[in-house]
Amino acid sequence: MSTPATDGDDWRAAIDATDAAIIDGYQSGFPVAERPFRRVAEALEINETEALERVERLREAGIFRRFGAVLNPPVIGSSTLAAVRAPEDRFGEIAEVINGHRQVNHNYRRDHEWNMWFVVTAGSLETRDRIVSEIEAETGCSVLVLPMLTDFYIDLEFPVVNGDRFARESIDSTTVDATRISETAAADLSDLDRRLILEIQEGFPLSKTPYRDVAAAVDASVEDVLSAIKRLSADGCIKRIGCVVNHIVTGFDSNCMVVWDVPDGDLDALGETVGELPYVTLCYHRPRRPEQGWEYNLFTMIHGRDPEAVDGKIDELATEYLPFEHERLYSTETLKQTGARYEEIVSGQ
């Protein structure tokens, strides 16, 4: 495997216009068909072998994290964002304890009093809450539990072969599809669905027949697998299918989570309005926790290459759309970043 792309514009030097069309054109919408690369090749006016080889090369270069389905943990299982106030002299120790739980799939240091933010995903609300209780007992830290209640807009798909200072600088708008999220594992999964999710959680095989390869691995027909993929997508268990871009490698390494104290009666309207703004990559409702001093109920995130540009867009949000108390929580260190592990999730554990 070749060395991953480095910071700056080095990654651009190795790509051409066809690579760019794949990078920006197939982060989603990858064909759900027995020979998907044949369809991609036809659209790009190249041959099937070349289309596959280009995706392989872009993955090896680190521009793509993986190829396949982006699963949706809050729909498949029971998930929550959580945070602790870790004393600096115990920060590393507490991070190690939290990261040691396999149900924790993301953990970041953020520049805030609540300085460690992580995601817990389990197969049931009971298991999720048990993990949170274990973390409190093991660390001695109170955990701020903030499950997603409404998904106004969540999409890390955006063009990267450009000079944009912040995500989607060159795009006018996005489409909001506000979705209420249940804390319980509400997905109605068949036995095939469960086997399929486990097989594809780390990506599809890079071959001319990825769905046929997956079908063989789960002991099903390719027709049944294609139907299941389409059904899981329609149900929200799969968010998109395509080539997952590494935003750090492509320069989008400045991200800020902004939390807002929005009047409860205006929350839905404001969440939908803000979610339509192209530079807002994530927008969702989480509960207030006044007993823990947490008064914020709307979360937004902005990704960018330029921290000043990201701050400028937050200023725009605060001035033109959300004139309310807010705090800016910049990510300063990645402590853990893995996909959710679905072995226990799909079994309801």
Side-chain angles (χ1 to χ4, degrees), residues 1-7 10-11 14 57-63 249:
M1 181 176 292
S2 60
T3 302
T6 57
D7 292 338
D10 291 354
W11 65 280
R57 176 168 50 78
L58 291 167
R59 188 183 68 171
E60 289 172 357
I63 295 170
V249 166

Side-chain angles (χ1 to χ4, degrees), residues 93-342:
E93 168 206 336
I94 290 170
E96 186 174 352
V97 169
I98 291 174
N99 292 347
H101 288 269
R102 60 182 177 276
Q103 294 89 351
V104 172
N105 51 293
H106 288 80
N107 192 1
Y108 300 95
R109 180 196 281 264
R110 293 192 179 275
D111 187 13
H112 190 265
E113 174 189 2
W114 294 93
N115 55 358
M116 191 179 301
W117 290 77
F118 53 98
V119 176
V120 180
T121 304
S124 68
L125 178 60
E126 292 75 19
T127 300
R128 189 202 76 184
D129 288 348
R130 175 175 59 78
I131 299 302
V132 170
S133 295
E134 289 176 1
I135 288 172
E136 288 187 321
E138 293 162 1
T139 64
C141 296
S142 174
V143 177
L144 184 65
V145 179
L146 300 170
M148 188 184 304
L149 302 179
T150 305
D151 165 359
F152 293 111
Y153 185 83
I154 298 181
D155 194 354
L156 291 181
E157 176 190 358
F158 50 84
V160 299
V161 188
N162 51 41
D164 287 0
R165 297 163 300 155
F166 53 86
R168 307 191 187 102
E169 183 174 8
S170 54
I171 294 177
D172 293 330
S173 66
T174 51
T175 301
V176 166
D177 183 16
T179 304
R180 305 295 183 194
I181 303 295
S182 170
E183 288 192 68
T184 60
D188 184 15
L189 301 176
S190 68
D191 181 61
L192 173 58
D193 294 338
R194 294 186 178 91
R195 301 200 311 274
L196 186 55
I197 287 170
L198 293 181
E199 182 63 26
I200 67 175
Q201 63 181 320
E202 294 182 356
F204 292 168
L206 267 173
S207 75
K208 292 179 180 179
T209 57
Y211 299 105
R212 182 169 288 281
D213 296 345
V214 168
V218 300
D219 192 25
S221 70
V222 67
E223 293 79 13
D224 285 347
V225 163
L226 292 171
S227 295
I229 292 282
K230 293 174 182 176
R231 183 179 64 256
L232 290 169
S233 297
D235 290 346
C237 296
I238 293 176
K239 291 188 70 70
R240 56 187 167 98
I241 296 172
C243 301
V244 180
V245 167
N246 187 326
H247 294 115
I248 302 300
V249 166
T250 55
F252 287 88
D253 55 0
S254 177
N255 75 80
C256 187
M257 182 176 75
V258 191
V259 294
W260 308 83
D261 180 5
V262 172
D264 292 333
D266 298 330
L267 180 62
D268 283 355
L270 290 170
E272 291 185 10
T273 296
V274 170
E276 289 179 346
L277 299 172
Y279 57 83
V280 174
T281 49
L282 307 173
C283 182
Y284 37 79
H285 168 211
R286 296 185 186 277
R288 304 178 191 274
R289 299 295 189 203
E291 70 279 7
Q292 293 175 284
W294 187 262
E295 296 292 348
Y296 303 105
N297 58 348
L298 183 66
F299 286 60
T300 60
M301 185 162 280
I302 298 173
H303 286 72
R305 292 187 170 108
D306 180 351
E308 292 185 0
V310 170
D311 259 337
K313 300 315 287 183
I314 299 171
D315 291 342
E316 180 181 319
L317 269 180
T319 301
E320 299 185 19
Y321 300 96
L322 297 171
F324 309 109
E325 289 294 322
H326 68 278
E327 294 195 63
R328 307 179 186 200
L329 284 70
Y330 270 98
S331 172
T332 59
E333 183 181 359
T334 299
L335 305 171
K336 184 177 183 180
Q337 187 178 53
T338 63
R341 302 303 306 170
Y342 287 89

